[in-house]
Amino acid sequence: MQPSAQTEIEDVLYQQGLLTNAQLSAIKLESVNSGHSPEQLILSHQMVPPDKVAAAKAQIMGVPFVSLDGRAISSEILDYIPEAVAHRYRLIPFEKQNSTLLVAMADPLDLQVIQFIEKKSGLSVKAYLALADDIEKTISDQYSQNLTSDVSSALKEVAKFKTTGTEEPEERAEIVREAPVANIITQLLEYAVKTKSSDIHIEPLEDRTRVRYRIDGILHEKIVLPRGVHDALISRIKILSSLKIEEKRLPQDGRFTFTSGKSTFDLRVSTLPTIYGEKVVMRLLPKSVIAPSLIELGLRGVGLKNLEYQITRPHGIILICGPTGSGKTTTLYSILTKLSTTKVNLSTVEDPVEYQIPGANQVQTNPTIGLTFASALRSFLRQDPNIILVGEIRDSETADLAIQAALTGHQVFSTLHTNTAAGALPRLLDMGMEPFLLSSSINAAVGQRILRKICSHCKTAFTPPPEVVQNIAQTLNGLFPPNHQIKLYKGAGCSECGHSGYQGRIGIFEVLVVSSTIMKQILSRSSSQTIENQAITEGMITLKQDGYLKALEGVTTMEEVLRVAQD
């Protein structure tokens, strides 16, 4: 239904089903009594999300609405409007269609500003309504990277230095070294360090190249580069990583070192040929990093107590379980840093070695020459080890050797790709391990996930609705006192956290100790659910429960817990 000129914003939201009849009446009455506009009241009472309110407002104005959240804007588009102008008039260009510039504005009906932008850019302007906060955040994000001038000059230089394909590899390498694409690579890496990103993705698309950063476990599209600069960027990264720049048909792996201020980073580089060109992913690994303690990782209470006891036992296997990117390796490093002393022989086999542990003998796998997890583990047993770390149990041979090492008096740590701690035991049985050997060798399995922490600078408390309180009470069961006044927390978004509401990460854990009862269940090949139920009976706190407790303490949000720990 198209609203008339006199339609009020609350009526549009009601027509869209975003306000109930009772809410509509209450808003109209409160507006008359308080003198505040219905829009202010709807937002202050959090009845409708701000973007939905803005979209309804745009409908009344007769202009389109655009959400800028997560949108990357190319440097060529940003060049049309200087940052100072964008800040002053609260607007930002986000796309160009032929000779029309699409501009997000806080006030899209300001014809004087539109005429000024048209004169400045030399293009006709189509104005869109966007949230003022979104515009300010996007201006800060997009202009702050200072890539516009570098990209523009790089494009000119790349065109000037364009290779013909007949040059020797050394000549092509020299061309790329001379080109100002080196500045762009430095800017990309500096931004990754500044935002504490773990990975940088440089991806070729049909008409552009996008750069995404993994910040606190989530990928964010931050920069869009012109397609013409892509090959030069990839070649530059290949030279830094000692890769073959002329090989574009096969994936390659390399690494190089980057220094920013007082910090030095190892960058693991992986290239992948795609239909539009080569994609590159760079993982940043701080060289001087000190493994966090188990408490700093997020372990506490009965889980921490049980794990600390298990790692003091002289033999047996401890498994760290979870999907890719759940922080398993970091937990292992925390444990091993604690155990590594001059009195023990600690050997690790990893793929790859991500951090260096003082005093440990660390080996990186190399399958091309036959150095696998299994072959390295076989060699370790002749090296008089006390503690062995196997980066991952991927096959039955590695699993069998790990069990034999544990049964012959060694302490073994490893990771397994299962969703829960209880799921590790049936997984090993599926690999062909004998139940009687498994029940005798496994001491504990730890399930974990990583979630984002609420930004401490903009954290606000709120009272959750009754259905959320009921869900918390059911999930926590007897872990939380009855009739307790429940408060939850969220981040409002500020400059410190890039307006995301989150800053930093923390783990949630479940520690399953293999008791005599669980040993019997392994011998009878019980399901993971049966084993988990028994562990809960014996006092194990599950991933979801640990997450809910951290949400109640104000460490994270319920949305984050459900994102990573929902069944």
Side-chain angles (χ1 to χ4, degrees):
M1 179 180 171
Q2 190 67 28
S4 66
Q6 280 74 40
T7 306
E8 301 295 341
I9 195 164
E10 66 272 24
D11 297 318
V12 175
L13 293 170
Y14 172 69
Q15 290 160 11
Q16 293 174 348
L18 296 169
L19 286 178
T20 64
N21 193 33
Q23 286 175 321
L24 179 66
S25 302
I27 285 293
K28 286 183 180 288
L29 181 62
E30 189 176 348
S31 178
V32 171
N33 290 335
S34 67
H36 295 301
S37 71
E39 182 182 347
Q40 288 175 318
L41 295 172
I42 290 166
L43 290 171
S44 65
H45 293 321
Q46 298 181 345
M47 290 179 169
V48 179
D51 58 331
K52 299 289 186 188
V53 174
K57 192 174 176 181
Q59 192 176 342
I60 293 168
M61 289 178 172
V63 298
F65 171 75
V66 64
S67 172
L68 297 173
D69 185 35
R71 182 185 286 268
I73 303 167
S74 82
S75 54
E76 293 171 312
I77 301 298
L78 293 174
D79 275 345
Y80 284 109
I81 298 176
E83 184 177 1
V85 173
H87 269 300
R88 182 176 177 185
Y89 296 112
R90 290 200 299 176
L91 54 84
I92 189 167
F94 62 91
E95 201 175 314
K96 179 173 173 276
Q97 294 176 351
N98 300 321
S99 60
T100 302
L101 188 65
L102 311 188
V103 181
M105 303 177 66
D107 182 5
L109 299 182
D110 192 332
L111 297 177
Q112 196 173 352
V113 171
I114 291 171
Q115 287 170 359
F116 170 70
I117 298 301
E118 285 180 334
K119 189 175 179 182
K120 188 96 179 160
S121 64
L123 299 169
S124 61
V125 167
K126 183 176 181 181
Y128 283 69
L129 176 69
L131 289 168
D133 288 348
D134 274 3
I135 292 172
E136 292 291 349
K137 175 181 176 294
T138 308
I139 290 170
S140 299
D141 283 351
Q142 300 296 326
Y143 283 101
S144 67
Q145 285 141 42
N146 296 322
L147 285 170
T148 47
S149 57
D150 287 310
V151 171
S152 301
S153 62
L155 278 171
K156 293 170 190 167
E157 295 297 322
V158 169
K160 189 194 301 179
F161 287 121
K162 196 149 188 174
T163 60
T164 62
T166 59
E167 302 89 344
E168 291 297 315
E170 292 81 8
E171 291 176 352
R172 263 178 283 169
E174 192 57 38
I175 286 169
V176 175
R177 279 195 193 97
E178 292 299 324
V181 290
N183 294 333
I184 300 175
I185 299 294
T186 302
Q187 297 255 3
L188 295 179
L189 294 173
E190 290 282 4
Y191 186 76
V193 172
K194 177 179 150 190
T195 54
K196 297 179 181 169
S197 303
S198 60
D199 302 85
I200 308 170
H201 293 240
I202 301 175
E203 302 167 299
L205 303 178
E206 188 174 8
D207 57 345
R208 65 192 190 280
T209 292
R210 71 176 178 184
V211 182
R212 295 193 290 172
Y213 292 85
R214 191 173 291 281
I215 304 168
D216 289 337
I218 307 291
L219 274 174
H220 298 270
E221 185 176 326
K222 290 290 185 183
I223 308 165
V224 174
L225 300 174
R227 188 68 179 81
V229 81
H230 181 81
D231 288 344
L233 281 178
I234 301 304
S235 296
R236 173 67 184 166
I237 292 167
K238 282 183 170 182
I239 289 165
L240 290 169
S241 313
S242 302
L243 302 178
K244 297 176 183 174
I245 62 172
E246 66 274 13
E247 179 55 80
K248 299 184 178 182
R249 299 166 301 166
L250 293 172
Q252 297 185 69
D253 293 305
R255 62 196 311 155
F256 67 93
T257 301
F258 173 73
T259 302
S260 174
K262 294 180 181 178
S263 303
T264 302
F265 295 83
D266 265 333
L267 278 98
R268 258 176 39 209
V269 178
S270 171
T271 71
L272 182 73
T274 72
I275 57 170
Y276 296 122
E278 286 184 284
K279 175 188 172 181
V280 165
V281 175
M282 295 184 282
R283 169 156 289 187
L284 283 84
L285 301 167
K287 265 194 169 180
S288 58
V289 73
I290 299 169
S293 68
L294 293 174
I295 293 173
E296 288 169 339
L297 288 177
L299 267 156
R300 77 276 176 81
V302 67
L304 176 64
K305 182 182 172 184
N306 286 339
L307 183 57
E308 284 186 327
Y309 170 71
Q310 293 301 325
I311 64 178
T312 60
R313 296 178 67 179
H315 54 79
I317 299 175
I318 293 177
L319 294 170
I320 312 293
C321 309
T324 302
S326 58
K328 301 186 295 294
T329 305
T330 304
T331 301
L332 280 178
Y333 278 123
S334 297
I335 294 170
L336 293 182
T337 301
K338 189 173 183 178
L339 295 177
S340 181
T341 67
T342 54
K343 296 179 180 179
V344 297
N345 178 14
L346 195 164
S347 297
T348 80
V349 54
E350 304 166 67
D351 180 23
V353 173
E354 294 194 8
Y355 301 111
Q356 293 173 2
I357 304 169
N361 308 296
Q362 294 176 269
V363 176
Q364 182 158 319
T365 60
N366 189 348
T368 56
I369 59 169
L371 182 56
T372 62
F373 283 122
S375 64
L377 185 49
R378 204 175 278 111
S379 299
F380 284 174
L381 296 176
R382 297 191 289 273
Q383 289 278 321
D384 183 32
N386 299 102
I387 302 167
I388 296 171
L389 163 66
V390 183
E392 185 184 341
I393 293 178
R394 293 178 179 172
D395 51 52
S396 56
E397 186 183 9
T398 308
D400 187 50
L401 285 165
I403 288 172
Q404 293 303 325
L407 291 173
T408 52
H410 302 93
Q411 201 173 16
V412 180
F413 295 89
S414 191
T415 69
L416 203 59
H417 281 279
T418 59
N419 288 330
T420 61
L425 304 168
R427 173 68 58 83
L428 291 170
L429 290 172
D430 291 342
M431 283 185 180
M433 300 303 102
E434 292 293 343
F436 68 93
L437 293 176
L438 201 58
S439 63
S440 307
S441 58
I442 303 286
N443 289 344
V446 179
Q448 71 175 79
R449 298 287 191 281
I450 293 182
L451 37 73
R452 293 178 292 172
K453 291 164 66 177
I454 299 171
C455 173
S456 58
H457 298 90
C458 59
K459 182 162 75 174
T460 56
F462 67 96
T463 303
E467 58 269 22
V468 174
V469 175
Q470 187 180 358
N471 176 256
I472 292 170
Q474 286 174 348
T475 302
L476 292 180
N477 206 354
L479 295 173
F480 207 68
N483 305 319
H484 184 82
Q485 179 62 42
I486 288 179
K487 286 272 185 191
L488 291 178
Y489 303 83
K490 63 180 178 180
C494 64
S495 58
E496 291 289 332
C497 60
H499 298 275
S500 67
Y502 297 98
Q503 192 175 48
R505 292 194 287 174
I506 196 165
I508 54 173
F509 298 86
E510 58 185 19
V511 180
L512 186 152
V513 176
V514 178
S515 64
S516 56
T517 310
I518 291 175
M519 279 185 183
K520 290 174 186 173
Q521 291 180 337
I522 295 170
L523 289 169
S524 62
R525 294 180 177 269
S526 297
S527 68
S528 59
Q529 191 58 59
T530 303
I531 293 171
E532 184 173 291
N533 290 341
Q534 178 60 35
I536 292 169
T537 303
E538 293 175 5
M540 182 182 85
I541 293 174
T542 65
L543 284 170
K544 199 171 181 180
Q545 288 174 332
D546 191 28
Y548 275 26
L549 288 170
K550 287 184 168 79
L552 290 171
E553 290 167 11
V555 176
T556 188
T557 63
M558 291 289 290
E559 289 80 7
E560 271 297 285
V561 177
L562 295 173
R563 180 178 69 84
V564 302
Q566 183 67 286
D567 297 334

